[in-house]
Amino acid sequence: MLRSLVGSEMCIRDRLWMGQNSLSGTVPAELSSLTVLEGLYLGQNSLSGTVPGQLLRLSSSLFSLDLSKNLLSGTIPAGLLAPEISLEDNQLSGTVPQQLCSATAECDLESNLGLACPDSDCQQHCQLNSTCAAPAMLLDAVDFSAESKEGGSDGGVNVLIVCLVVGAAVAVAALLGLAVQRMRSSSPRPEEQVPFPKAPGMPMYESVSSLEQL
């Protein structure tokens, strides 16, 4: 329905209101042909797929973009700009473009659990909830990319060396502890007392040490 509307000869002035219309399917890339559009409101429908990159063509004229409460997935196109952008309650993922955080007056990306926040300021500005994932930082420690192999892999090699040294130290300490335990278990016990048989008219000495004292 939405695609046929855009392709018709209907005169669309500055705003297109199609919210709460039970629309399904994908967001038509043909919307990018409406270069005089100032407001695009497609919230609270059942639109799926990704946010079309062709909408970047509307950035010069678009004032308000509302694609909230749909089933949109994928990443947010870099360069998608408007003073007011609402993409909350979708299934978007990836890192929020930094430009979207700094160049919009109002930005709502709440309830997109797959989105990663570039920084805390962006998280607050775009109303990202506390479940917003942190950007992936683990691979920064050991970078095996082609660029790193050309001359920037020293940091990764150093990390690997440290890990190997620590592992070897732990293994040596465990072996030393085992050796000490075995030495203690094999050491001779104190001399046991040796009883002597009793003789008539003689006192009984209980041990070798008692005889030595005589």
Side-chain angles (χ1 to χ4, degrees):
M1 175 182 177
L2 184 57
R3 181 171 281 103
S4 61
L5 177 63
V6 176
S8 68
E9 296 181 357
M10 178 180 178
C11 179
I12 300 178
R13 294 182 179 274
D14 56 353
R15 295 176 185 270
L16 178 60
W17 298 83
M18 294 295 291
Q20 299 182 352
N21 274 281
S22 301
L23 298 176
S24 59
T26 59
V27 179
E30 291 84 355
L31 288 170
S32 61
S33 63
L34 305 176
T35 54
V36 296
L37 202 62
E38 296 180 2
L40 178 59
Y41 306 94
L42 302 176
Q44 301 186 49
N45 284 293
S46 298
L47 297 172
S48 58
T50 61
V51 179
Q54 289 86 344
L55 294 182
L56 300 178
R57 301 175 186 173
L58 303 178
S59 297
S60 59
S61 62
L62 199 63
F63 179 83
S64 181
L65 174 63
D66 184 2
L67 299 176
S68 64
K69 298 180 180 179
N70 280 286
L71 303 172
L72 299 175
S73 58
T75 60
I76 301 175
L80 182 65
L81 297 176
E84 298 177 358
I85 291 183
S86 181
L87 299 174
E88 80 270 17
D89 284 326
N90 279 287
Q91 301 170 9
L92 300 174
S93 59
T95 303
V96 179
Q98 185 66 50
Q99 192 175 7
L100 183 65
C101 303
S102 58
T104 56
E106 296 183 13
C107 176
D108 193 348
L109 303 177
E110 187 177 2
S111 298
N112 285 281
L113 301 183
L115 285 178
C117 317
D119 53 53
S120 58
D121 292 336
C122 182
Q123 180 176 356
Q124 182 177 4
H125 178 70
C126 291
Q127 303 181 46
L128 288 161
N129 48 22
S130 58
T131 56
C132 176
M137 299 294 292
L138 182 60
L139 294 181
D140 290 346
V142 182
D143 188 0
F144 296 102
S145 62
E147 181 180 356
S148 176
K149 292 179 180 179
E150 291 177 358
S153 60
D154 291 343
V157 173
N158 292 336
V159 172
L160 291 176
I161 292 175
V162 170
C163 292
L164 291 174
V165 171
V166 172
V170 172
V172 171
L175 292 174
L176 289 176
L178 183 60
V180 171
Q181 184 177 2
R182 288 184 176 179
M183 291 176 61
R184 290 178 177 177
S185 61
S186 60
S187 59
R189 297 180 180 180
E191 183 179 9
E192 297 181 353
Q193 294 180 345
V194 181
F196 285 83
K198 293 183 178 180
M202 292 182 64
M204 175 63 187
Y205 299 101
E206 298 297 334
S207 64
V208 175
S209 59
S210 299
L211 294 175
E212 292 177 351
Q213 291 179 0
L214 294 176

